[in-house]
């Protein structure tokens, strides 16, 4: 009887030990994975292709919205005046970082916090805007990607438009005087136009109501082509400006391919899908502990030209072979 009691005791002891071992094996699986929270502050609705590329790249890096990633989105719907309040809303949620697209949201985010990391995209010159100390050493809490390669983007646009419409001697240039970067671009456009013997005519629009009068002024000044300097005012919604330009029948070059897809003649600018994937890389590094002030701001490495064949035909333009070889042509 004594032997039976000892055996039962040993059985119970082994059972307890086995239970403890199994519990320790299950512990890692029961540990709650960290959930990251990011804010996204934008001026207008994002381009679907770029947005898809951004979240695809995040998934490849292990961040899945609805699982271990919460995304708080705030969109100003084209209204600069509401951006400060939207930025403060995001800051109050204490996200791990904020993604800010284009200059106005980037400035609003910067003014709302000096501690939460901010990753910018679609900003032409963050140094000139006072967002960072330098591209190589941003300092502070801001880093990301710039769209401007000084002396290249606007000058190349003038060159391509002239190549598309070589007979044009007067090119209207649509600018927003409230955009600080347009001051720099204006000088670049003037120099590029001078080199190819074209007269640039600058027409300003500060609000959407001023866009059509600016275009009519270009017609009155006998402009033969149009260059649109990229700005949220001119880019959203993407179909609006191309529709207005179609009425005055001016061959025009834009920054965004979405405006060519909406009926514009041609575009030349950074490959924003590529930039969106690179943006996800910044998010990943910061979420893993990198200091944004130590991450150099990257310039575009890929550019794309897109031409709308249907629009070219409607304007009676024969697309030069040199452009056809280097452009993506859409119907």
């Amino acid at each position: 009887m004594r032997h039976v009691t000892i055996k039962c005791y040993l059985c119970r002891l082994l059972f307890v030990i086995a239970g403890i071992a199994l519990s320790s094996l299950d512990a890692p699986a029961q540990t709650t994975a960290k959930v990251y929270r990011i804010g996204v502050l934008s001026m207008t609705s994002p381009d679907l292709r770029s947005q898809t590329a951004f979240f695809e790249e995040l998934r490849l890096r292990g961040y899945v919205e609805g699982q271990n990633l919460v995304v708080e989105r705030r969109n100003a719907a084209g209204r600069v005046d509401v951006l400060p309040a939207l930025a403060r809303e995001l800051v109050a949620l204490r996200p791990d970082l904020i993604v800010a697209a284009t200059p106005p949201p980037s400035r609003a985010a910067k003014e709302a916090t000096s501690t939460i990391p901010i990753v910018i995209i679609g900003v032409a010159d963050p140094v000139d805007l006072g967002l960072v100390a330098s591209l190589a050493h941003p300092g502070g809490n801001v880093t990301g990607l710039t769209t401007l390669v000084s002396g290249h983007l606007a000058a190349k646009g003038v060159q391509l438009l002239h190549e598309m419409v070589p007979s044009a001697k007067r090119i209207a240039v649509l600018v927003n005087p409230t955009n600080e970067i347009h001051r720099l671009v204006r000088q670049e456009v003037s120099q590029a136009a001078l080199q190819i013997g074209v007269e640039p005519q600058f027409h300003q629009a500060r609000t959407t109501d001023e866009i059509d009068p600016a275009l009519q002024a270009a017609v009155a000044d006998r402009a033969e082509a149009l260059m649109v300097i990229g700005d949220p005012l001119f880019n959203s919604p993407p179909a609006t400006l191309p529709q207005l330009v179609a009425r005055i029948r001016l061959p025009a070059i834009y920054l965004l391919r979405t405006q060519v897809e909406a009926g514009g003649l041609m575009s030349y600018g950074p490959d924003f899908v590529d930039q969106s994937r690179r943006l996800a890389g910044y998010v990943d590094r910061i979420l893993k502990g990198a200091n944004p002030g130590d991450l150099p701001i990257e310039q575009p490495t890929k550019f794309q030209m897109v031409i709308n064949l249907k629009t070219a035909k409607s304007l009676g333009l024969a697309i030069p072979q040199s452009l056809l070889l280097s452009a993506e042509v859409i119907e």
Side-chain angles (χ1 to χ4, degrees):
M1 191 71 179
R2 177 186 175 91
H3 293 296
V4 174
T5 304
I6 292 174
K7 286 181 180 179
C8 291
Y9 173 77
L10 289 174
C11 289
R12 283 196 292 268
L13 180 61
L14 288 173
F15 181 79
V16 171
I17 292 173
I20 293 172
L22 288 173
S23 296
S24 64
L25 288 174
D26 288 341
Q30 293 173 357
T31 301
T32 303
K34 178 174 174 56
V35 176
Y36 298 92
R37 183 185 297 271
I38 67 174
V40 177
L41 184 62
S42 57
M43 183 72 176
T44 58
S45 299
D47 169 47
L48 183 58
R49 288 161 52 95
S50 299
Q51 180 177 249
T52 300
F54 173 64
F55 285 103
E56 280 182 352
E57 186 66 25
L58 282 181
R59 279 193 293 272
L60 291 175
R61 294 171 181 269
Y63 307 97
V64 181
E65 187 174 4
Q67 295 183 20
N68 65 340
L69 179 66
V70 175
V71 183
E72 300 287 353
R73 297 171 175 84
R74 297 294 185 276
N75 188 301
R79 293 182 53 192
V80 177
D81 59 306
V82 303
L83 281 170
L86 295 179
R88 290 192 296 270
E89 281 184 24
L90 287 178
V91 169
L93 296 173
R94 301 171 65 89
D96 295 291
L97 62 82
I98 295 174
V99 174
T102 73
S106 299
R107 184 186 295 281
K110 171 72 172 177
E111 292 175 350
T113 178
S114 60
T115 56
I116 297 174
I118 299 169
V119 186
I120 62 174
I121 188 171
V123 178
D125 190 343
V127 177
D128 188 72
L129 290 177
L131 297 174
V132 298
S134 71
L135 297 184
H137 304 285
N141 63 322
V142 178
T143 189
L145 300 107
T146 174
T147 59
L148 181 67
V149 176
S150 182
H152 168 78
L153 192 58
K156 184 70 173 179
V158 174
Q159 175 192 328
L160 292 173
L161 184 59
H162 180 64
E163 197 170 342
M164 175 67 83
V165 196
S167 62
K169 298 303 179 185
R170 293 177 297 276
I171 294 179
V173 185
L174 185 62
V175 298
N176 178 359
T178 65
N179 187 328
E180 301 99 315
I181 298 303
H182 284 200
R183 169 173 43 85
L184 301 176
V185 173
R186 180 170 181 150
Q187 182 179 359
E188 184 179 324
V189 169
S190 297
Q191 292 175 347
L194 180 64
Q195 291 177 356
I196 58 177
V198 172
E199 176 192 349
Q201 303 171 339
F202 293 93
H203 296 274
Q204 301 181 351
R206 296 174 178 81
T207 66
T208 54
D209 291 338
E210 294 181 0
I211 294 177
D212 192 46
L215 295 178
Q216 297 302 326
V219 173
D221 287 344
R222 297 180 297 124
E224 298 162 287
L226 171 69
M227 181 175 185
V228 179
I229 306 301
D231 186 276
L233 178 66
F234 306 144
N235 302 343
S236 182
T240 300
L241 186 54
Q243 289 172 354
L244 292 174
V245 173
R247 297 176 189 171
I248 59 175
R249 296 188 56 77
L250 278 182
I253 186 168
Y254 304 84
L255 177 69
L256 305 181
R257 68 169 289 135
T258 51
Q259 291 177 295
V260 179
E261 293 170 345
L265 173 62
M266 62 189 300
S267 67
Y268 179 75
D271 184 337
F272 286 104
V273 170
D274 175 66
Q275 285 217 312
S276 296
R277 294 192 181 279
R278 291 162 66 190
L279 176 70
Y282 276 93
V283 171
D284 178 37
R285 279 177 282 176
I286 291 173
L287 292 181
K288 288 178 177 174
N291 180 0
D294 296 334
L295 299 178
I297 289 181
E298 297 180 7
Q299 293 181 312
T301 57
K302 294 182 180 180
F303 295 85
Q304 60 179 186
M305 174 170 51
V306 184
I307 297 174
N308 189 313
L309 182 59
K310 182 178 179 180
T311 301
K313 288 180 178 178
S314 71
L315 292 170
L317 295 174
I319 305 174
Q321 189 67 19
S322 58
L323 294 183
L324 287 174
L325 292 175
S326 55
E328 177 185 349
V329 179
I330 63 176
E331 293 284 350

